């Protein structure tokens, strides 16, 4: 899968893709992530990419032309499944959206900065708008990293144990059950006996029951669909 991320501050994007699981996914050729600096598409010698808001108001708006040039160039090179704009007024990102994007081939993620982008770019190119939650970040870059991470880890071969993505919280609308590792007793607290029993049928039943209890306590809203 290929993800193209368009940003006015691409430096903000790089490190998550240079470490750990995402880095390995790129090295194995399972994912390609390309960064594009909007400033490279600026049309005047000041490399201007933003201007004041028509009608008055605080803040700067990312201009049409550099964004249009950048997106149009990418679209001329290949077909994209979606051109996604990261914005706090978008649809809230979740595991179902990540799952569906993990089956796609080419995605563009456009990061807004300053006050946002000119509406005409949304009308011209954007096919989906995504928010990572009801709060406002300084730009879409961190949101783009979150979205790309959630998608790439689902690609076959990225995680060592294929099962581990399937048993994540949210994959079946339930949060994860508690997990333990050695030692068996820590500060007087014992690992639940069932997990040491070797009876995998019973262990699965216990985990499922715990997942329901924990979801009921922490996120009862998820059980509405369960
Ligand atoms: N840009 C600024 N805030 C954002 C958010 N919450 N989600 C996605 N993009 C954003």
């Amino acid at each position: 899968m290929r993800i193209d991320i368009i940003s006015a501050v691409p430096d903000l994007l790089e490190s998550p893709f240079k470490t750990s699981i995402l880095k390995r996914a790129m090295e194995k050729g399972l994912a390609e992530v390309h960064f594009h600096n909007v400033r490279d598409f600026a049309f005047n010698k000041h490399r201007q990419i933003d201007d004041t808001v028509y009608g008055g108001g605080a803040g700067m708006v990312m201009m049409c032309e550099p964004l249009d040039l950048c997106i149009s160039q990418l679209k001329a090179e290949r077909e994209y499944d979606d051109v996604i704009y990261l914005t706090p007024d978008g649809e809230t990102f979740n595991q179902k959206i990540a799952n569906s994007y993990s089956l796609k081939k080419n995605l563009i993620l456009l990061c807004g900065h300053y006050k946002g982008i000119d509406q005409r770019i949304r009308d011209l190119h954007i096919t989906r708008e995504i928010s990572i939650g009801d709060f406002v970040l300084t730009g879409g870059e961190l949101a783009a990293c979150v979205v790309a991470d959630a998608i790439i880890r689902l690609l076959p071969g990225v995680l060592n144990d294929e099962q581990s993505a399937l048993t994540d919280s949210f994959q079946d609308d339930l949060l994860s059950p508690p997990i333990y590792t050695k030692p068996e007793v820590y500060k007087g607290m014992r690992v639940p006996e069932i997990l040491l029993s070797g009876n995998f049928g019973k262990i699965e039943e216990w985990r499922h029951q715990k997942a329901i209890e924990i979801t009921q306590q922490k996120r009862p809203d998820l059980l509405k669909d369960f």
Side-chain angles (χ1 to χ4, degrees), residues 191-204 206-207:
V191 171
E193 211 53 49
I194 181 78
L195 298 177
L196 312 174
S197 68
N199 183 336
F200 295 106
K202 286 262 176 265
I203 290 173
E204 267 323 294
W206 180 88
R207 285 184 170 150

Side-chain angles (χ1 to χ4, degrees), residues 153-219:
R153 65 187 291 283
L154 295 173
L155 301 176
V158 169
L159 298 181
N160 287 332
D161 175 3
E162 302 265 348
Q163 272 297 98
S164 70
L166 297 176
T167 57
D168 286 340
S169 279
F170 300 111
Q171 279 300 9
D172 48 9
D173 282 330
L174 291 177
L175 302 182
S176 293
I179 52 170
Y180 300 86
T181 185
K182 295 185 183 67
E184 238 178 82
V185 185
Y186 184 70
K187 293 192 172 171
M189 294 179 287
R190 283 203 152 272
V191 171
E193 211 53 49
I194 181 78
L195 298 177
L196 312 174
S197 68
N199 183 336
F200 295 106
K202 286 262 176 265
I203 290 173
E204 267 323 294
E205 246 174 61
W206 180 88
R207 285 184 170 150
H208 187 66
Q209 190 49 41
K210 284 285 169 199
I212 293 174
E213 283 170 31
I214 285 172
T215 310
Q216 183 73 59
Q217 279 163 20
K218 296 186 182 170
R219 292 288 308 274

